[in-house]
Amino acid sequence: MYRFRLFLLIIQCLVSPELSFAAHRTLKFRAMPLFDTDVTKMFTHGYGRFMELGLWNLLLSSDLRKIAFKKKLAPTTSNEIFSYKKSIKAFQKLELTTKLVHWDERTFYLEHVIRSEDGSVCATAIVTGVMRSPQGVVRPADIIREAGLLVEPDALSASTSNAILALQGMDIAIAP
């Protein structure tokens, strides 16, 4: 199901007008039984798969799309902090919002929020990620400069700032 959704997402991004890389994106899904859920509720990995689609949507629907294809960039998640708040049931409609919240010299930081159709939050995640090319990791500043973007990250909330600090600590803890 993920690959089918990814294929449809790529087609949708290619025929849609480009948006700013810094703008938030919203995708809508329906949790499909036996693909996203067991008989009644969503598997833990299902949340991550939806968020992965949000990551691809952010890249391919943005003004970075041409650079991504030219340099063969692929978004890669390195660390995640998830918070599960409410179970997602089979056939339930969902809305995923993905937003670039910050970047530094090495990493992009994204926020994903999954809401049910009544607007209540089911899960949130702060994710670190990089763009990889066949030559290796590409620095965020290089991507933004090449695209000619004049964007700065928004001010961070205290909870997002704390999550980013925790994710940076994870990188330090696992560095060789």
Side-chain angles (χ1 to χ4, degrees):
M1 185 55 97
Y2 170 80
R3 287 189 174 102
F4 178 70
R5 285 180 175 141
L6 180 60
F7 176 74
L8 292 178
L9 178 71
I10 291 169
I11 300 298
Q12 178 186 357
C13 288
L14 293 177
V15 300
S16 299
E18 293 177 354
L19 301 170
S20 167
F21 184 61
H24 76 277
R25 306 291 191 285
T26 302
L27 293 173
K28 296 186 178 196
F29 301 101
R30 186 179 294 272
M32 300 306 295
L34 305 179
F35 293 104
D36 304 317
T37 68
D38 56 14
V39 177
T40 59
K41 300 208 171 145
M42 185 176 281
F43 299 122
T44 307
H45 72 276
Y47 294 88
R49 283 189 175 167
F50 284 129
M51 291 177 187
E52 184 74 19
L53 291 170
L55 183 61
W56 279 105
N57 185 42
L58 182 68
L59 177 63
L60 296 178
S61 68
S62 76
D63 34 18
L64 296 182
R65 171 174 42 203
K66 289 177 186 136
I67 294 169
F69 284 119
K70 179 179 151 190
K71 293 191 170 274
K72 300 178 182 171
L73 297 177
T76 305
T77 300
S78 49
N79 290 311
E80 305 168 328
I81 295 179
F82 276 91
S83 178
Y84 301 100
K85 300 182 185 300
K86 183 178 173 186
S87 294
I88 295 173
K89 298 179 179 119
F91 298 109
Q92 185 173 348
K93 290 181 182 178
L94 309 169
E95 181 178 279
L96 168 67
T97 303
T98 301
K99 180 179 178 184
L100 174 67
V101 293
H102 190 67
W103 61 86
D104 58 26
E105 64 280 350
R106 300 178 328 150
T107 310
F108 289 102
Y109 298 89
L110 305 173
E111 178 183 59
H112 298 287
V113 179
I114 296 178
R115 289 184 172 79
S116 62
E117 62 186 318
D118 68 1
S120 60
V121 174
C122 298
T124 60
I126 301 292
V127 176
T128 63
V130 298
M131 296 289 186
R132 294 184 87 59
S133 74
Q135 291 74 38
V137 174
V138 181
R139 292 173 0 120
D142 294 342
I143 295 168
I144 291 168
R145 186 179 340 97
E146 184 168 341
L149 302 178
L150 301 173
V151 295
E152 290 295 324
D154 293 338
L156 298 173
S157 68
S159 62
T160 301
S161 182
N162 289 339
I164 287 174
L165 288 171
L167 289 166
Q168 288 170 337
M170 286 179 180
D171 282 343
I172 292 167
I174 60 173

